[in-house]
């Protein structure tokens, strides 16, 4: 500061009416630093006589310091979604009188903070002379820790008659947790309701998102299984001529038709196998079995009528031509030949009629609709036994076998649309099938 000219409170002399007054330090002197200083005023009467007095000048600082805060800071939270606030330094701090003003922080360094988002920190500079200045800046508390996600081991789906199945919504099944977020969201890829086709494994990826920009993923194998047997139709009655030794080699027979929901060309095996040597006239049963390669089979039977001289045995020469042939059975009217049906057994498969009258077809009717099932908390449901709902009619007089259900009762399914196949058969080898659908609701979602 510049020292001003101070005036005495009073000054007088015995002879001089206006003594001269001088000041030390002189007016206009530049002084610095806070605190007291002594100023002396000296009166001179011009006659060689002087007198002095002193007083105190207190140099005071009324100018606040200057402080500049840092830019926005980032604070990473730990596994407990907490962090310890560090000591932040101002970008700049200065004062007119104090070389290093004291800086304090609010909240103070060492404070435990939690939760994501911005918080305000204040820095205050104090020059020690009663003057302060403050600034504020933002500290963004961020979560860089990914959530935790654990997937189930495996899911199983069963394809329908088109070898297809809709992928359920499995997002509720993985377990998840996070250090900061209580509402971790899970997404699924492929999405639910995606149409999957074919048997085998589809990998489904689940991704957990904590809403703070962090994700974690796990995968599950979804195994698509086929429980529907193929369909096979056998040829009509075949004739096989015996040689002079009353023997013949069984040829390879082809089914009249064979198909499957998943396998384009099911493998077909024959029993007895092609190449088998057979002998003796009369009927024999040949079975063709289709295998779809997915653990499902279906069979049908047909009659091979071995024909040859009646001397080969096994049949009756009703028409007297010396050979046993299909025509002999055609002529074997049981009212005339009471033993004919037994002798020709296998040709007519115990049907209520002889070979020329045809085989009455076996018919099975499935229920038009069944109540929907609801999956449990584990996203699963077991299908019940529907065989009692089938209506079976027609067919030969041979005893009926129990109706077979595929997939079997008790098989576990996930939500979706499940195809159920019911198959009726009798001991004469006739079969018939029908298919209906069961809807399993995703109650676990």
């Amino acid at each position: 500061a510049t020292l001003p000219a101070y005036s005495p409170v009073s000054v007088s002399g015995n002879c001089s009416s206006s003594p001269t007054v001088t000041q030390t330090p002189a007016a206009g002197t530049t002084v610095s630093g806070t605190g007291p200083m002594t100023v002396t005023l000296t009166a001179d009467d011009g006659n060689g006589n002087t007198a002095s007095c002193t007083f105190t000048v207190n140099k005071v600082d009324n100018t606040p310091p200057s402080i500049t805060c840092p830019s926005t800071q980032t604070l990473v939270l730990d596994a407990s979604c907490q962090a310890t606030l560090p000591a932040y330094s101002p970008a700049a701090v200065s004062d007119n009188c104090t070389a290093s003003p004291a800086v304090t922080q609010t909240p103070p360094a060492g404070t435990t903070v939690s939760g994501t988002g911005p918080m305000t920190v204040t820095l205050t500079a104090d020059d020690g002379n009663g003057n302060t200045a403050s600034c504020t800046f933002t500290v963004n508390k961020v979560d860089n820790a990914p959530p935790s996600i654990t997937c189930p081991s495996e899911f199983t789906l069963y394809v329908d008659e088109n070898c297809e199945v809709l992928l359920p919504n499995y997002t509720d099944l993985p377990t998840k947790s996070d250090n900061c977020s209580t509402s971790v969201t899970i997404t699924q890829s492929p999405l639910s309701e995606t149409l999957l086709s074919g048997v085998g494994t589809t990998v489904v990826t689940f991704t957990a998102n904590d809403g703070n920009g962090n994700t974690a993923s796990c995968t599950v194998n979804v195994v698509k299984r086929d429980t529907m047997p193929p369909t096979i139709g056998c040829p009509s009655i075949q004739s096989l001529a015996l040689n002079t030794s009353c023997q013949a080699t069984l040829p390879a027979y082809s089914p009249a038709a064979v198909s499957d929901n998943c396998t384009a060309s099911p493998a077909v095996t024959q029993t007895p196998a092609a190449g088998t040597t057979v002998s003796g006239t009369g009927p024999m049963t040949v079975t063709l079995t289709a295998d779809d390669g997915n653990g499902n089979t279906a069979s049908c039977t047909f009659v091979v009528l071995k024909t040859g001289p009646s001397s080969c045995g096994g049949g009756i020469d009703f028409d007297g031509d010396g050979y046993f042939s299909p025509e002999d059975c055609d002529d074997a009217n049981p009212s005339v030949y009471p033993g004919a049906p037994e002798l020709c057994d296998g040709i007519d498969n115990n049907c209520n009629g002889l070979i020329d009258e045809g085989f009455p077809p076996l018919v099975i009717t499935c229920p038009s609709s069944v109540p929907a099932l609801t999956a449990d908390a584990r996203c699963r449901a077991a299908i019940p036994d529907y065989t009692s709902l089938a209506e079976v009619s027609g067919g030969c007089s041979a005893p009926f076998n129990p109706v077979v259900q595929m997939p079997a009762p008790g098989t576990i399914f996930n939500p979706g649309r499940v195809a159920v196949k019911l198959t009726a058969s009798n001991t004469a080898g006739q079969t018939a099938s029908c298919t209906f659908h069961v809807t399993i609701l995703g109650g676990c979602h």
Side-chain angles (χ1 to χ4, degrees):
T2 300
L3 202 63
Y6 293 103
S7 299
V9 175
S10 62
V11 61
S12 63
N14 60 336
C15 291
S16 174
S17 59
S18 299
T20 302
V21 178
T22 57
Q23 176 180 309
T24 303
T29 299
T30 298
V31 296
S32 61
T34 59
M37 67 176 287
T38 300
V39 176
T40 301
L41 297 182
T42 302
D44 189 330
D45 61 5
N47 297 316
N49 303 302
T50 62
S52 297
C53 68
T54 61
F55 61 97
T56 298
V57 173
N58 282 320
K59 297 172 288 175
V60 297
D61 174 21
N62 290 332
T63 302
S66 172
I67 186 170
T68 303
C69 276
S71 59
T72 298
Q73 302 292 296
T74 297
L75 185 60
V76 179
L77 302 170
D78 62 15
S80 299
C81 202
Q82 295 180 331
T84 300
L85 203 63
Y88 292 103
S89 298
V93 62
S94 62
D95 186 65
N96 61 334
C97 293
T98 304
S100 300
V103 177
T104 56
Q105 175 181 307
T106 305
T111 299
T112 298
V113 295
S114 62
T116 59
M119 67 175 289
T120 298
V121 175
T122 301
L123 297 182
T124 300
D126 190 325
D127 64 2
N129 297 319
N131 305 302
T132 60
S134 298
C135 65
T136 61
F137 63 100
T138 298
V139 173
N140 281 325
K141 297 169 291 176
V142 298
D143 170 25
N144 289 339
S148 171
I149 182 172
T150 302
C151 280
S153 58
E154 185 177 275
F155 297 133
T156 300
L157 295 176
Y158 296 89
V159 297
D160 61 14
E161 71 275 12
N162 297 317
C163 204
E164 297 175 332
V165 64
L166 290 175
L167 186 66
N169 182 356
Y170 291 125
T171 54
D172 283 352
L173 299 185
T175 58
K176 75 258 187 190
S177 62
D178 187 66
N179 62 330
C180 289
S181 178
T182 58
S183 57
V184 177
T185 59
I186 293 182
T187 55
Q188 171 182 314
S189 178
L191 297 172
S192 62
E193 303 302 312
T194 297
L195 185 64
L196 305 179
S197 61
V199 295
T201 300
T202 295
V203 177
V204 177
T205 300
F206 296 95
T207 300
N209 190 320
D210 65 2
N212 295 323
N214 307 302
T215 60
S217 298
C218 63
T219 60
V220 172
N221 288 334
V222 175
V223 180
K224 297 167 292 178
R225 300 189 187 279
D226 173 26
T227 58
M228 301 196 69
T231 298
I232 186 169
C234 276
S236 58
I237 292 178
Q238 302 291 301
S239 292
L240 182 62
L242 304 176
N243 60 22
T244 56
S245 299
C246 290
Q247 293 183 330
T249 299
L250 201 64
Y253 293 103
S254 298
V258 62
S259 62
D260 185 67
N261 61 330
C262 291
T263 304
S265 300
V268 177
T269 56
Q270 175 180 307
T271 304
T276 299
T277 298
V278 296
S279 61
T281 60
M284 67 175 288
T285 299
V286 175
T287 300
L288 297 182
T289 300
D291 189 323
D292 64 4
N294 297 320
N296 308 300
T297 61
S299 298
C300 65
T301 60
F302 62 100
V303 172
V304 174
L305 186 62
K306 298 171 291 177
T307 64
S310 57
S311 59
C312 293
I316 295 180
D317 179 13
F318 288 108
D319 56 12
D321 64 357
Y323 284 87
F324 176 73
S325 65
E327 289 74 17
D328 288 312
C329 279
D330 292 344
D331 294 337
N333 190 315
S335 64
V336 179
Y337 304 100
E342 289 76 15
L343 294 171
C344 295
D345 186 21
I347 300 175
D348 60 20
N349 283 323
N350 289 323
C351 290
N352 294 325
L354 296 175
I355 187 170
D356 58 341
E357 297 175 9
F359 297 167
L362 184 64
V363 178
I364 184 171
T365 303
C366 281
S368 58
S369 63
V370 295
L373 305 177
T374 300
D376 60 19
R378 299 179 63 189
C379 213
R380 305 188 309 172
I383 63 169
D385 188 344
Y386 293 110
T387 56
S388 63
L389 303 181
E391 296 181 2
V392 182
S393 61
C396 301
S397 60
F400 287 113
N401 297 317
V403 174
V404 176
Q405 175 177 309
M406 289 295 292
T411 302
I412 301 298
F413 290 90
N414 299 114
R417 191 166 178 258
V418 178
V420 177
K421 185 176 184 178
L422 300 180
T423 300
S425 64
N426 59 21
T427 58
Q430 291 180 297
T431 62
S433 298
C434 63
T435 301
F436 63 100
H437 292 86
V438 180
T439 299
I440 299 178
L441 303 176
C444 56
H445 306 140

